[in-house]
């Protein structure tokens, strides 16, 4: 079951000039959703992010987002829901489901 939604990322990592996709056009990474507490890692889910366009000058980027696993809580992917993308302890980007 693939439930893919539109979202907008704001990248928090430094971008290199001339690189339109900081982590590639498609990548998977753990996400922390706004309703999860500090112990979110005990109930963490990875998302697949697919770029819809290059990163804009304000560091925002339209993307498509879906969970990596079919048994993920797809009801979390609702309009207005906020999330952060992680690589280890580093916050790569903040996002919001459109």
């Amino acid at each position: 079951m693939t439930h893919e939604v539109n979202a907008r990322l704001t990248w928090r990592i430094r971008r290199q000039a001339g690189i339109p996709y900081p982590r590639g056009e498609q990548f998977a990474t753990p996400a922390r959703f706004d309703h999860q507490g500090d112990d979110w890692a005990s109930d963490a889910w990875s998302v697949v992010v697919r770029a819809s366009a290059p990163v804009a000058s304000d560091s925002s980027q339209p993307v498509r987002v879906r969970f990596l696993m079919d048994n993920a809580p797809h009801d979390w992917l609702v309009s207005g829901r906020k999330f952060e993308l992680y690589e280890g302890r580093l916050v790569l980007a903040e996002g919001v489901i459109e």
Side-chain angles (χ1 to χ4, degrees):
M1 175 173 125
T2 300
H3 180 71
E4 192 175 64
V5 297
N6 291 321
R8 179 159 297 275
L9 295 181
T10 301
W11 287 94
R12 295 295 177 218
I13 58 172
R14 183 173 296 175
R15 291 185 318 135
Q16 295 180 358
I19 305 225
Y21 309 105
R23 289 295 186 263
E25 289 186 58
Q26 183 170 303
F27 63 95
T29 195
R32 178 186 182 274
F33 287 81
D34 61 352
H35 68 282
Q36 294 180 291
D38 290 336
D39 65 342
W40 70 276
S42 65
D43 189 29
W45 293 95
S46 289
V47 293
V48 176
V49 178
R50 185 169 51 94
S52 301
V55 178
S57 60
D58 66 354
S59 296
S60 70
Q61 183 178 31
V63 296
R64 300 278 295 165
V65 176
R66 66 176 171 83
F67 282 108
L68 182 61
M69 304 297 293
D70 287 338
N71 64 336
H74 297 281
D75 58 326
W76 292 5
L77 300 179
V78 294
S79 180
R81 175 70 43 97
K82 295 178 181 178
F83 60 94
E84 295 173 323
L85 300 179
Y86 278 81
E87 187 173 273
R89 294 183 184 188
L90 175 68
V91 177
L92 296 176
E94 297 173 353
V96 63
I97 306 295
E98 296 183 330

